[in-house]
Amino acid sequence: MHINTFDHYQTRNSLIHRLDPRVKVVVTVLLILSNVILPDGAWLAFALTWGMLLFCSLFARISPRFLITRSFVALPFAFAAVTAIFTIPGQAVFEFNISSWHLTASDAGLIRFFSILIRGWISVQMAILLTASTPFPDLVHALRHLRIPDIIVATISFMYRYLFVLSDETVRLLRAREARSASLTGKRKRGGSIRWRARVAGSMAGQLFLRSYERSERIYNAMLARGYRGTLMTLNPHEMQPKDWALGVIALVMLVIIQIVGRNYSG
Amino acid sequence: MPIVHDTHLQDKLASCIEHPNGCLLAVENLSFSYPDGHAALHNVSLHIEAGEKVALVGPNGAGKSTLMLHLNGIFLGDGQIQIAGMQMDKASLPLIRAKVGMVFQNPDDQLFSPTVFEDVAFGPLHMGLPEAEVHARVERALEQVGMQIYAQRLSHHLSMGEKKRIAIATVLAMNPEILVLDEPSAGLDPRARRSLIELLRQMPMTMLASTHDMRLVQELLPRTVIMDQGHIVADGPTDELLTDQALLEAHGLEQP
Amino acid sequence: MLPTLPLLRPDALHIPDGFLNLTVAIIFWILTVIFIGVAVRKTRGQFGERQIPLMGVMAAFIFAAQMINFPVAGGTSGHLLGGALAAIVLGPWAGMLVMTTVVGVQALIFQDGGLVVMGANIFNMGLLTALIGYGLYRGVQGRSRKARLTIAGVAAWLSVVAGALLTAFQLWLSGTSALRVVFPAMLGVHVIIGVGEALITVAALAFIWQTRPDLLTEEEPKGGRGWIFGGVLISLAVVLISPLASAFPDGLERVAMNVGFIGTGLDAPFEILPDYTLPFLGETGMSTILAGIVGMVVVAGLALGVMWLLRRPAQAES
Ligand SMILES: Nc1ncnc2c1ncn2[C@@H]1O[C@H](COP(=O)(O)OP(=O)(O)OP(=O)(O)O)[C@@H](O)[C@H]1O
Ligand SMILES: [Mg+2]
C-alpha cells in the first residue's frame, strides 16, 4: 500500500488548474480572511462565498461532493465552539438540565456558534480546492515567488518528497510490530505494559530518526555528485499572464462585494 | 591477499604510465578509513580507458560503494585520483563531478526533488548552464532513457524501474564521460532488469558498474574487477574471470 | 485508507480556519514570523551545506513519527507531536524551522489546521514546544544520561500541555470558547496525552543515545544558555497559570476584561451569565485536581532543578 493516497491533487485540464499558483494561493488566503472578518450571522454573505466556491470547483471539474466529504476533517473541532451557545448573553431560546447543571442557549450564542461553524467549513473547503487543483510542486513555486525564505521553501520541497518515503517506512515498522505482538494475544495483555509499549514506540521513532538522518547524508552525497555547492538553484517555471491578473482582480472584486453584503445584511 | 591475473593489471598500469592522459580514470594507491576507524579501502589502484565497460564485483562490504564515492570527490581518501587528465582537488571538483555521472544504489536517495523535471534539471542547473540549455538537456536526457512523458510526474509516484531510469537521466543531463553505477539492477523485477540492461547497452560512454548480478556482468561488461575487504584482488577480461571457479568462490561470488 | 490516518492529528491542536478571530490570528502570525526570521538567520551554516537535505528529511521524519502510536487504554493511544524531540536533537532554531515546515505542510496538503490561523498553529505546536523542550533540556546539558532523559521527558510533557493551554487561550480570546470549559478540558486531555509524548520522546532519545551517541553528546551545545532562562520561565508560567486558571476561570476572565485584553477582537464582548454554572468544573473537577497535583509536583521539581543549576553554574559549560 502506498501512502500517497494522502495526496489529494486531482489531475484535470481546467482554467483553474492552469491558473498561476501564486494567484490561487493569494486568492484562497484572501477568501478565508474575508470569511474570518465577516460578522456573525452574515448568512447571505456566507452563502455568496460558498456559491463562489462551488462555482470555482465546478469550473475546475472537481466535484463539490469531494470538497464536502473532505471538509469533515475540521468537524471535530466544532466542539470547541459549542460553549459559545450557552455563554454568550442574549435572549434565551431554550434551556435544559443535564444532571446538575442548567444550560441556557441564547440566540446570540446560537448565531455565534453557527457562524463559526460555517466559517470553518467554507474555509476548509477553499483550502481543499486549492490543494485539489494545484500540484504540490507548483504550490512550492508559489511560496518561493511569494518571498517565503529560501530555506523554508527548500525544506518544504524536500519534506514533501520524503514524506511518502518515510511514511511508507513507518507503516512497515508499525506492521512489523503488529506481526510480532499478535503472537502475544491470549497469553497476556496485548503488547505488555504501557511503559513497555511506549518504549517500543519510542525505539521505532528513534530508529526512524537515525534512518532519516543517514538518508539525509546519502541525499546530500547525491546532491554533491550533481554539482551542489551549498546554494540551491531553481528554475522559475511560472510567469504571470494577463488572464492570471484578470482572474485575481475578479476574485478581489467578488470579495469586496461579499464584504459589503455581509456588513449590510447580517442577521 | 594474492593478486590473481596481475599480468593484466601490470599491462594496464604500464600503458597508463606511458600515456598519463590515455586513461580516462586513474586511481593510484587509494586508501580510506571511515570516521569510526573502519578501514574500507587499502591501496586500491584502478585504471580505466575511454570506452571501456567495467564491472566491479565483490561480496557485501567489500568497499565497492566506498570506492565509487571517491570517484567524484564525495570522499577524499589518501592517494591519487585522476579523471580525464585532471587531478582531483578542490578546484577541479566541479568539472570532475560533471565528467563522472554517479548513479546511486537507491533511487530514492538520488531523486530528491518533487518532480522528475526538477530532478533531471538539478545537475545542469548547478553546473551553471543557462535556462534554455537546461531545458534542452532535460528533454534530451529523458528521451535517452525513454521517459519523455514523465517530466511532470512526481518522483514518489514512480515504480522502481522508472525511478532507476530517471536516476540515470539525472546524470546523463550532465553529459558525463564516465557513468558510475552502484548496483543498477538491484530491486528490479525481471522485465525492468532486462529493459535496464538494454538501456545501458545503448549508452556509448565509459562505464563502471558495481553489481551482484553476474548475468548482467556477462552480458554487458567485458572487463571485471573483483574487490574483497578493501583490496582489488583480480582484474581482467570478464570471460576469463567468470570461468575461474576457484577465484569466484574465494570471494563469495557465483558463476552466472 | 490507512488505519493510522486519524492519528495524523495529534489531538485538537490543529486549529482550523474560522475558529480564531483576526486579531488573535494576526498577533500570533507576527510572533511566529519574528521567531522564524531569527531562526532562518541563526540556522544558516549550522549544518553547513548539508542543512537543506537534513532539515527537509527531518521534517518528513517528524511527520512520519507522528504516525507512530501505542495503545494506552480504552481505545485511546499515545503518540508524538515532536516539537521537543526535534529541538533536542537538532537544536532549538533548527527544531523550530522543522516544526514550522511540518505544520505548514500539514495545513497545505492535508488541511490539518487552517491557513490564516497557521501562525497560531506554528506557534503552539512548533515554537512553544521547541522553546520548552530545548530550554529545559539545555539546563542539564553535560549532566548524566539519566538526568538528561528525565528532563527531556518532563520537557516533552510540558511542551504538549503548554501548547494545549495556549490553544485554549486563543480560542477563548477569539470568543469561540468559554474559558471555564475549554481550559480544563484541554488541560485534562493533554495532561494525559503529554505522558505519551514524554514516554516516546525519552525512549527515542535513549535509542539514539545507544546507537549514535555522537548526535547527542557533542562538545558544543546547540543553543546558548539563554534558552534555559526562556524555557524555565515559560514552564513556570504554565505550571502556575494552569491550576489557577482551572480553579478560578471567572477571575481570569474578569481580569482580562478589565485590562481590555479580551474583547478587542470580539464583535460582541461577552459576559458571564450569572446563572450559568458548571459545578463539576469548579475546584472539584477531576482534571483540575489532576492538573493541580501534577503542576505542583512539576513546580517543585523545577524549583529544585533551578537551584541545583545555580549551585554549580559553570560546570556544564567547561
Ligand atoms: N558510513 C560508514 N561508516 C563506517 N563504516 C562504513 C560506512 N559505510 C560503509 N562502511 C563499511 O565500509 C565497508 C565497505 O562498505 P561498502 O558500502 O563500500 O561495501 P560494498 O562493497 O558497496 O557492499 P555492498 O555490496 O553491500 O553494497 C563495509 O565494511 C562497511 O561496513
Ligand atoms: Mg554498495
Side-chain angles (χ1 to χ4, degrees):
Chain A
M1 177 163 32
H2 242 279
I3 210 141
N4 61 34
T5 41
F6 284 178
D7 197 346
H8 291 289
Y9 173 65
Q10 307 213 328
T11 317
R12 302 275 192 287
N13 185 13
S14 81
L15 186 60
I16 304 272
H17 282 70
R18 285 193 302 271
L19 203 58
D20 191 289
R22 263 169 290 188
V23 176
K24 284 192 266 190
V25 170
V26 170
V27 167
T28 306
V29 169
L30 287 179
L31 267 164
I32 295 175
L33 215 57
S34 147
N35 259 336
V36 173
I37 60 177
L38 278 176
D40 284 351
W43 312 122
L44 189 58
F46 287 138
L48 269 179
T49 315
W50 195 50
M52 184 173 159
L53 175 77
L54 282 188
F55 183 76
C56 290
S57 86
L58 289 177
F59 222 64
R61 292 198 244 141
I62 287 167
S63 88
R65 240 234 330 277
F66 172 78
L67 296 189
I68 292 170
T69 4
R70 286 267 306 136
S71 68
F72 291 127
V73 292
L75 201 64
F77 220 87
F79 284 112
V82 169
T83 55
I85 302 177
F86 308 105
T87 48
I88 294 179
Q91 289 267 279
V93 179
F94 60 87
E95 353 190 335
F96 59 93
N97 294 306
I98 301 177
S99 66
S100 65
W101 17 305
H102 175 70
L103 297 177
T104 313
S106 70
D107 57 349
L110 283 166
I111 289 174
R112 158 71 50 81
F113 173 69
F114 283 109
S115 300
I116 291 174
L117 224 55
I118 288 175
R119 276 190 204 112
W121 187 66
I122 298 180
S123 300
V124 75
Q125 288 183 66
M126 285 167 177
I128 294 167
L129 183 61
L130 173 69
T131 332
S133 67
T134 320
F136 194 75
D138 282 1
L139 277 183
V140 174
H141 291 303
L143 297 181
R144 185 170 284 127
H145 285 302
L146 293 169
R147 309 239 172 270
I148 307 286
D150 280 349
I151 175 71
I152 292 181
V153 178
T155 309
I156 289 178
S157 162
F158 273 84
M159 174 184 175
Y160 177 72
R161 171 67 182 90
Y162 288 101
L163 193 101
F164 302 96
V165 178
L166 296 189
S167 300
D168 278 344
E169 219 166 296
T170 311
V171 171
R172 279 198 299 276
L173 282 175
L174 287 169
R175 238 183 246 139
R177 179 185 65 175
E178 211 88 318
R180 276 192 312 251
S181 55
S183 60
L184 294 172
T185 41
K187 295 229 159 187
R188 52 177 159 132
K189 232 169 44 184
R190 200 163 149 258
S193 73
I194 289 186
R195 248 191 86 184
W196 188 78
R197 278 178 265 177
R199 183 137 85 225
V200 172
S203 307
M204 274 167 59
Q207 199 175 342
L208 195 64
F209 167 78
L210 288 181
R211 286 194 200 175
S212 310
Y213 193 88
E214 277 156 16
R215 185 186 286 278
S216 81
E217 276 168 358
R218 295 197 302 272
I219 295 166
Y220 173 60
N221 286 344
M223 292 170 75
L224 283 182
R226 283 194 275 148
Y228 176 69
R229 269 172 280 165
T231 26
L232 206 58
M233 285 178 250
T234 45
L235 289 174
N236 286 332
H238 298 288
E239 288 278 0
M240 286 287 280
Q241 306 292 330
K243 73 161 201 299
D244 297 322
W245 287 110
L247 280 168
V249 169
I250 291 175
L252 268 185
V253 171
M254 285 295 298
L255 284 186
V256 172
I257 294 173
I258 287 171
Q259 284 299 320
I260 291 171
V261 170
R263 266 141 227 291
N264 291 311
Y265 301 91
S266 60
Chain B
M1 205 148 282
I3 295 190
V4 202
H5 294 271
D6 65 349
T7 48
H8 183 85
L9 192 70
Q10 290 308 322
D11 289 353
K12 202 95 212 156
L13 276 169
S15 85
C16 281
I17 289 161
E18 274 168 40
H19 321 277
N21 292 338
C23 283
L24 183 55
L25 183 152
V27 177
E28 304 280 357
N29 298 325
L30 181 68
S31 297
F32 177 75
S33 299
Y34 277 101
D36 67 355
H38 181 92
L41 296 178
H42 303 277
N43 265 326
V44 169
S45 295
L46 177 67
H47 299 84
I48 296 177
E49 279 169 46
E52 271 193 299
K53 301 200 187 281
V54 184
L56 185 59
V57 298
N60 291 133
K64 306 182 294 290
S65 302
T66 310
L67 174 59
M68 289 184 151
L69 286 170
H70 279 84
L71 298 183
N72 60 7
I74 288 169
F75 289 165
L76 298 169
D78 295 328
Q80 303 254 311
I81 298 179
Q82 242 186 42
I83 310 261
M86 285 177 294
Q87 200 68 33
M88 174 94 66
D89 54 35
K90 266 243 145 32
S92 64
L93 215 50
L95 265 173
I96 284 182
R97 283 180 177 159
K99 299 247 184 249
V100 180
M102 184 75 197
V103 181
F104 289 79
Q105 178 173 346
N106 185 348
D108 274 329
D109 299 340
Q110 176 137 15
L111 305 180
F112 43 72
S113 312
T115 66
V116 168
F117 174 87
E118 285 168 283
D119 242 318
V120 182
F122 189 92
L125 257 180
H126 287 80
M127 288 163 70
L129 295 175
E131 207 172 312
E133 174 71 9
V134 172
H135 278 277
R137 288 216 183 180
V138 172
E139 204 163 302
R140 207 201 48 213
L142 285 175
E143 200 184 310
Q144 274 175 294
V145 298
M147 305 286 283
Q148 301 92 309
I149 55 168
Y150 281 72
Q152 292 311 322
R153 291 282 294 274
L154 301 179
S155 304
H156 65 263
H157 284 169
L158 304 175
S159 76
M160 191 65 171
E162 290 164 339
K163 280 182 189 166
K164 286 266 174 174
R165 283 175 171 260
I166 302 295
I168 293 173
T170 61
V171 300
L172 291 182
M174 298 172 76
N175 272 351
E177 282 184 29
I178 174 165
L179 209 53
V180 176
L181 304 133
D182 200 352
E183 312 214 6
S185 64
L188 294 183
D189 67 20
R191 186 168 357 136
R193 176 179 162 278
R194 173 71 17 223
S195 92
L196 183 88
I197 291 180
E198 292 314 319
L199 174 67
L200 292 179
R201 200 194 296 286
Q202 289 158 18
M203 297 287 146
M205 62 280 282
T206 314
M207 205 177 282
L208 174 67
S210 92
T211 184
H212 298 293
D213 180 347
M214 299 312 268
R215 281 184 29 226
L216 180 143
V217 174
Q218 194 175 34
E219 280 186 52
L220 211 56
L221 306 162
R223 177 180 160 200
T224 296
V225 173
I226 302 182
M227 271 189 97
D228 200 353
Q229 302 193 0
H231 297 271
I232 289 190
V233 292
D235 183 347
T238 300
D239 299 342
E240 264 175 52
L241 291 190
L242 289 196
T243 49
D244 188 339
Q245 189 77 38
L247 172 71
L248 293 181
E249 258 170 34
H251 302 293
L253 300 167
E254 279 182 341
Q255 271 181 311
Chain C
M1 262 297 147
L2 280 160
T4 43
L5 188 55
L7 302 175
L8 286 178
R9 34 180 40 255
D11 303 69
L13 290 185
H14 292 86
I15 307 171
D17 277 319
F19 284 76
L20 293 189
N21 71 21
L22 194 62
T23 320
V24 175
I26 287 180
I27 289 173
F28 280 92
W29 258 123
I30 292 174
L31 286 173
T32 298
V33 166
I34 292 173
F35 269 92
I36 294 177
V38 178
V40 165
R41 206 153 313 131
K42 291 279 186 184
T43 52
R44 200 168 284 154
Q46 186 191 343
F47 305 103
E49 297 176 346
R50 269 184 54 202
Q51 187 188 16
I52 287 174
L54 179 66
M55 298 224 313
V57 176
M58 282 301 127
F61 154 72
I62 293 289
F63 179 91
Q66 288 184 352
M67 294 164 58
I68 296 173
N69 63 320
F70 66 97
V72 177
T76 59
S77 65
H79 50 257
L80 193 69
L81 187 58
L85 180 63
I88 290 171
V89 291
L90 298 173
W93 294 115
M96 284 181 178
L97 279 190
V98 161
M99 290 306 289
T100 297
T101 314
V102 172
V103 175
V105 167
Q106 278 171 339
L108 275 175
I109 304 186
F110 306 105
Q111 286 79 47
D112 232 350
L115 300 179
V116 168
V117 298
M118 199 197 284
N121 280 331
I122 291 176
F123 196 91
N124 303 346
M125 288 184 281
L127 309 187
L128 189 62
T129 52
L131 171 60
I132 293 178
Y134 189 76
L136 297 190
Y137 182 80
R138 178 67 180 79
V140 286
Q141 189 102 30
R143 312 259 167 197
S144 73
R145 182 186 126 113
K146 196 163 175 190
R148 286 210 222 178
L149 288 183
T150 310
I151 292 299
V154 172
W157 180 82
L158 256 179
S159 74
V160 170
V161 173
L165 293 187
L166 191 54
T167 306
F169 267 114
Q170 288 157 348
L171 288 169
W172 167 55
L173 288 176
S174 299
T176 300
S177 313
L179 184 70
R180 63 167 78 190
V181 181
V182 73
F183 200 89
M186 287 292 259
L187 188 64
V189 171
H190 287 87
V191 157
I192 294 165
I193 285 182
V195 175
E197 176 89 9
L199 290 174
I200 298 190
T201 303
V202 170
L205 286 173
F207 184 92
I208 297 169
W209 210 306
Q210 229 162 35
T211 335
R212 286 285 302 268
D214 54 307
L215 295 179
L216 289 173
T217 51
E218 70 288 283
E219 309 277 292
E220 186 85 351
K222 291 170 178 115
R225 288 186 78 84
W227 288 97
I228 306 176
F229 180 72
V232 170
L233 199 70
I234 302 269
S235 307
L236 281 175
V238 170
V239 291
L240 290 178
I241 288 175
S242 1
L244 273 180
S246 312
F248 312 106
D250 299 358
L252 200 65
E253 286 186 346
R254 211 162 298 129
V255 168
M257 232 177 306
N258 285 346
V259 295
F261 192 34
I262 193 170
T264 42
L266 295 183
D267 303 312
F270 63 86
E271 279 171 39
I272 320 315
L273 290 181
D275 60 338
Y276 169 71
T277 46
L278 285 179
F280 87 108
L281 281 174
E283 289 95 314
T284 54
M286 254 324 278
S287 51
T288 313
I289 292 174
L290 193 61
I293 293 170
V294 178
M296 291 313 155
V297 171
V298 174
V299 172
L302 278 176
L304 284 176
V306 170
M307 272 157 56
W308 181 45
L309 280 173
L310 290 178
R311 202 161 50 85
R312 304 185 296 175
Q315 194 187 309
E317 287 298 273
S318 55

